[in-house]
Amino acid sequence: MDTLQIIQTLREELNLHNYNYYVLDKPTLSDYEFDMKLKELQDLENKHPEFFDADSPTQRVGGAITKNFETIAHEHRMYSLDNSYSKEDLIDWENRIQKVLGNVPLEYTCELKYDGASISITYENGKLVRAVTRGDGLQGDDVTNNIRTIKSIPLKLKGEGYPSKFDIRGEIILPLAGFEKMNQELIEIGETPYSNPRNTASGSLKLQDSAEVAKRPLDCLLYFLIGANLPFDSQFEGLEKARSWGFKAPVEAKLAKSLDEVFEFIEYWDVHRHDLPYETDGVVIKVNDFHHQEELGYTAKSPRWAIAYKFKAEQVSTKLKSISYQVGRTGSITPVANLEPVQLAGTIVKRASLHNADQIEKLDIRIHDTVFVEKGGEIIPKIIAVDLSKRPENSKPTEYITHCPECETELIRGEGEANHYCPNYYGCPPQIIGRIQHYISRKAMDIEGLGGETVALLYNNGLVHNYADLYKLTVEDLLPLERMAQKSAENLVKGVENSKNIPFESVLFALGIRFVGETVAKKLAKHYKNIDALQQATLMDLILVDEIGERIAQSVIDFFENDENREIIKRLKSYGVQFEIIEKINPNATDKLSGKTFVVSGVFSTFSRDELKKAIEDNGGKIGSSISAKTDFVVAGDNMGPAKLEKANKLNISIISEDQFISMLNES
Ligand code: AMP
Ligand code: ZN
């Protein structure tokens, strides 16, 4: 096999795996095997930029930036749906239809109504060419770069018989488990969690950096094809065909031969929707036959041949026993309602989140009130209202706490911020423990042999007061602790020792600076390269770093202004923790790039433009001043001008990213 064949075989294998995993939910490769094959493909593609393919599975990680989303008119309008709330509504609907059609036998396709963001995706000759949001139904935003990163959406179709051009429509959704995980990560860095999966899904489509979208666990369910020459004439067949072309068309869909069968479908899903991995707020019933659909047509707003049936939100009322206040790692206070236990949506509910002081005030929630509790996207249910008719006579408005329940320090609340904070950064136990727990966590210092509970134990026994203290621990210190055997103590010490190899960007994340999550830590590490440079940066310097806003910048400044933080960092340095980036560039001059001419364009994150040029020359390459037929590669950073891009494309010159360039150098 020649290289191109190997590349193509790998692409096919990986595409098939993506399909099995994301569309069918039946993985055929282990994650490890998948990663190895992906890496093999990535390496080959780096070595052979001439075989670049935008549809390669390596491109699913995103990277394309959309500064402004272009407005695109929908070729076929995207309609809304009429709603119904009862069997009677549906019977009325059928009567209206039958008046037009003349009492013919009817079949209905029943589908779930997915609660996400609608999308219309255009395919031409079997390839994804464009994806547009619903917008106002007539025109929406071009979000193609972002949509291409969602792995259940095929970039190339399978099977045969698809029309040369058509649109397919569906819903971009965020499954509940993924949503919870994203929120957990936000809470960990002191950010406000997202309010629900639907808004998060639609917000994701409008992110500028498609690499960020790629990281979100988005999914897409597609249920409606539109275009000329569709090779089927009913909704249900359309779903089957869509499936055969590789689309994730909902498997829950069912063909009903009568309204009674529609009712059965509704009753079944009204109960079983809670077992689904994502939210659904109803059922959509569609007249199956396209000839009937045509005859029925549309109102100004929606098709006459389809209707949504909305489930009743699951709600119960119960008594609020008390409110407790939790203190998070960053000191933020979260009020939690303790409820009289009550059955709701298949689980027993004892607690509900109250978010913050404003929420309590807005709803005027008081202890001993009877409250309505509803289950939305979150695992923890919400209080949505108070049953005022049941309020006890002597009830008094809730007074929000003014002092920390853990350390009694007076709470503060920043201007425009929703949450109160305990400012006792170094003295408030849950903050101290939480910070160390974050430090050792998997995405941070990944310290094996040390868990969250042990951290609390170490703190409560006076062995650690901050994360730097971890590096002083000895086996002898640990042995007297409860349930600490020799072996575990040794593992703990070894785990701490090993963390000295963790790269700077993870160390920066581990420090637990408020608002500095994984991505921001990476950006800052790449930009400043070492902690000293970061520490010396002014507010203005920081804001000038791509994607760092004033809030993050101020938080970084505050962190380094604190004497104790600086002291701790000094200690960590002395223990050998990584506080600078290990340059990825090959420092030894080679002749790897000899005979090749490069043009460098745009802004880079790992190198300055001069460093890049130096690396090219050190390794035998030549620098061209402008793109011409003599150019072999364009190394493109952010903000490369469109004219240059066009020229490079016209001349068929390989465009490579900074990372691809680095891999090129690091190849043996
Ligand atoms: P509404 O926004 O309430 O008018 O409902 C119409 C929207 O429901 C459509 O724009 C779709 O985005 C969404 N929807 C979710 N699931 C389906 C489905 N199975 N069939 C049609 N539309 C659906
Ligand atoms: Zn406190």
Side-chain angles (χ1 to χ4, degrees):
M1 266 202 287
D2 65 20
T3 311
L4 181 57
Q5 280 170 325
I6 299 175
I7 288 182
Q8 277 166 344
T9 312
L10 279 168
R11 283 177 184 160
E12 273 162 33
E13 260 182 278
L14 291 165
N15 275 334
L16 179 66
H17 171 77
N18 269 343
Y19 172 75
N20 289 332
Y21 188 97
Y22 292 102
V23 179
L24 302 182
D25 275 331
K26 290 197 187 97
T28 40
L29 287 178
S30 70
D31 288 354
Y32 177 76
E33 285 168 309
F34 180 83
D35 290 345
M36 292 325 280
K37 282 188 197 284
L38 189 68
K39 184 161 182 312
E40 190 184 344
L41 175 61
Q42 183 75 68
D43 288 346
L44 283 173
E45 288 181 352
N46 289 343
K47 221 179 280 180
H48 296 277
E50 68 273 22
F51 299 138
F52 174 82
D53 180 352
D55 294 337
S56 167
T58 54
Q59 301 302 307
R60 294 281 200 177
V61 296
I65 309 278
T66 313
K67 290 279 181 222
N68 295 302
F69 294 94
E70 200 185 333
T71 308
I72 305 268
H74 293 294
E75 195 165 327
H76 309 273
R77 177 168 174 187
M78 290 179 86
Y79 285 90
S80 317
L81 289 170
D82 277 343
N83 286 326
S84 63
Y85 302 91
S86 65
K87 285 188 180 177
E88 289 67 43
D89 288 350
L90 288 173
I91 293 170
D92 288 347
W93 175 63
E94 183 172 69
N95 287 337
R96 286 199 301 276
I97 289 177
Q98 287 294 22
K99 230 181 235 154
V100 179
L101 299 178
N103 290 319
V104 294
L106 276 184
E107 286 182 334
Y108 302 100
T109 298
C110 302
E111 296 166 17
L112 293 176
K113 189 166 190 291
Y114 302 100
D115 207 8
S118 1
I119 192 79
S120 181
I121 313 178
T122 305
Y123 284 82
E124 280 177 25
N125 303 316
K127 286 188 159 202
L128 187 159
V129 295
R130 198 177 308 106
V132 182
T133 62
R134 175 168 130 153
D136 62 2
L138 296 170
Q139 53 181 34
D141 292 323
D142 183 337
V143 290
T144 313
N145 288 336
N146 289 345
I147 288 298
R148 293 178 65 93
T149 66
I150 300 176
K151 296 182 199 63
S152 55
I153 299 178
L155 301 177
K156 268 189 205 147
L157 299 185
K158 309 195 313 139
E160 51 205 32
Y162 42 78
S164 59
K165 179 167 190 249
F166 64 93
D167 291 351
I168 187 160
R169 291 183 179 164
E171 208 78 359
I172 305 291
I173 54 163
L174 189 55
L176 291 167
F179 175 71
E180 290 290 331
K181 193 159 156 269
M182 283 174 67
N183 267 352
Q184 202 48 50
E185 285 168 10
L186 284 176
I187 291 167
E188 270 187 12
I189 62 161
E191 290 275 11
T192 315
Y194 297 112
S195 64
N196 63 56
R198 178 177 31 132
N199 292 354
T200 316
S202 58
S204 302
L205 297 187
K206 302 297 277 298
L207 292 175
Q208 293 193 337
D209 182 355
S210 63
E212 282 304 305
V213 185
K215 283 190 213 143
R216 298 195 173 182
L218 297 164
D219 200 350
C220 180
L221 296 163
L222 295 159
Y223 43 71
F224 181 55
L225 289 110
I226 188 160
N229 305 319
L230 297 178
F232 46 85
D233 47 25
S234 75
Q235 168 67 12
F236 200 73
E237 280 174 277
L239 292 176
E240 285 173 339
K241 279 279 193 264
R243 239 171 255 137
S244 78
W245 298 331
F247 292 110
K248 190 163 186 172
V251 286
E252 294 90 10
K254 237 187 128 173
L255 192 61
K257 302 227 175 330
S258 66
L259 215 45
D260 279 334
E261 288 187 25
V262 171
F263 296 150
E264 274 170 35
F265 184 87
I266 291 176
E267 278 155 27
Y268 178 85
W269 284 110
D270 197 4
V271 177
H272 289 89
R273 64 186 159 125
H274 302 296
D275 308 333
L276 290 168
Y278 37 75
E279 286 190 304
T280 156
D281 58 350
V283 165
V284 183
I285 303 120
K286 299 172 183 173
V287 172
N288 191 43
D289 189 317
F290 283 173
H291 303 105
H292 291 149
Q293 290 189 3
E294 241 163 73
E295 225 171 302
L296 291 164
Y298 295 81
T299 68
K301 216 182 106 247
S302 43
R304 287 198 188 84
W305 46 263
I307 194 161
Y309 173 91
K310 294 268 184 150
F311 293 129
K312 282 178 205 68
E314 290 243 16
Q315 213 185 67
V316 286
S317 77
T318 187
K319 257 208 172 132
L320 174 64
K321 295 199 298 191
S322 63
I323 297 176
S324 37
Y325 297 87
Q326 292 175 344
V327 186
R329 163 170 78 80
T330 53
S332 76
I333 308 290
T334 317
V336 176
N338 300 305
L339 305 167
E340 201 70 66
V342 62
Q343 182 88 24
L344 172 65
T347 53
I348 293 180
V349 171
K350 294 184 201 142
R351 286 146 73 79
S353 83
L354 290 168
H355 299 298
N356 51 47
D358 289 346
Q359 184 76 3
I360 295 177
E361 198 183 306
K362 199 171 101 204
L363 298 176
D364 187 18
I365 296 170
R366 306 179 184 188
I367 294 176
H368 306 308
D369 267 347
T370 298
V371 293
F372 294 108
V373 181
E374 198 175 287
K375 209 152 179 176
E378 305 83 358
I379 304 277
I380 298 193
K382 271 194 255 228
I383 292 183
I384 49 157
V386 173
D387 186 347
L388 291 175
S389 70
K390 297 203 176 131
R391 173 166 283 172
E393 265 170 31
N394 57 358
S395 135
K396 283 198 206 67
T398 299
E399 276 178 36
Y400 204 77
I401 50 166
T402 52
H403 290 75
C404 176
E406 302 278 347
C407 73
E408 265 134 56
T409 305
E410 189 167 357
L411 301 179
I412 52 168
R413 186 180 191 181
E415 186 148 355
E417 285 189 20
N419 287 80
H420 287 71
Y421 284 88
C422 166
N424 187 12
Y425 192 80
Y426 280 104
C428 183
Q431 295 192 56
I432 300 173
I433 297 173
R435 214 157 34 235
I436 305 176
Q437 286 171 336
H438 169 74
Y439 184 83
I440 65 161
S441 64
R442 212 175 49 78
K443 286 186 173 168
M445 299 306 272
D446 193 17
I447 298 188
E448 265 177 60
L450 179 55
E453 279 174 34
T454 311
V455 169
L457 195 67
L458 292 173
Y459 172 78
N460 292 330
N461 283 278
L463 287 173
V464 296
H465 300 96
N466 55 55
Y467 34 66
D469 291 343
L470 294 171
Y471 294 86
K472 282 192 335 199
L473 289 173
T474 61
V475 173
E476 291 69 46
D477 291 338
L478 297 168
L479 282 176
L481 293 177
E482 242 178 278
R483 275 175 291 145
M484 182 66 75
Q486 176 81 24
K487 189 86 198 139
S488 336
E490 283 169 11
N491 284 342
L492 198 163
V493 173
K494 199 163 103 210
V496 171
E497 180 63 27
N498 287 343
S499 74
K500 295 177 185 170
N501 299 323
I502 295 291
F504 176 45
E505 56 188 48
S506 306
V507 176
L508 196 52
F509 172 58
L511 295 180
I513 304 171
R514 215 174 147 211
F515 306 134
V516 177
E518 254 189 302
T519 313
V520 171
K522 213 174 267 178
K523 291 240 153 76
L524 290 173
K526 266 192 170 183
H527 188 91
Y528 288 100
K529 301 197 170 57
N530 63 60
I531 195 99
D532 298 326
L534 177 62
Q535 195 165 331
Q536 277 154 23
T538 63
L539 188 71
M540 221 36 221
D541 296 337
L542 283 160
I543 291 174
L544 289 176
V545 179
D546 203 23
E547 283 177 61
I548 305 296
E550 188 168 341
R551 198 179 56 144
I552 300 175
Q554 188 58 53
S555 167
V556 172
I557 297 280
D558 292 347
F559 182 85
F560 288 114
E561 262 174 14
N562 181 302
D563 294 339
E564 287 189 75
N565 283 336
R566 284 207 305 271
E567 188 55 38
I568 288 175
I569 287 172
K570 217 154 115 199
R571 282 179 57 202
L572 289 173
K573 258 191 201 164
S574 74
Y575 299 135
V577 172
Q578 302 286 328
F579 277 109
E580 59 186 347
I581 274 199
I582 311 286
E583 286 292 2
K584 282 191 259 170
I585 223 161
N586 186 346
N588 308 317
T590 69
D591 54 3
K592 274 182 194 167
L593 308 180
S594 87
K596 300 268 189 281
T597 302
F598 291 76
V599 171
V600 175
S601 177
V603 188
F604 301 90
S605 43
T606 309
F607 310 120
S608 70
R609 222 193 253 236
D610 288 339
E611 284 172 317
L612 242 181
K613 289 186 176 168
K614 184 167 180 310
I616 292 170
E617 286 175 339
D618 284 351
N619 290 281
K622 268 204 271 186
I623 313 278
S625 54
S626 65
I627 298 173
S628 73
K630 293 203 190 100
T631 312
D632 294 294
F633 296 99
V634 175
V635 190
D638 287 350
N639 301 331
M640 171 172 170
K644 281 192 183 165
L645 193 66
E646 201 184 47
K647 186 150 185 209
N649 280 330
K650 220 188 217 151
L651 294 170
N652 236 334
I653 294 167
S654 302
I655 301 174
I656 60 174
S657 69
E658 186 177 9
D659 288 341
Q660 284 172 321
F661 174 73
I662 294 170
S663 331
M664 215 167 175
L665 283 186
N666 287 339
E667 263 156 29
S668 43

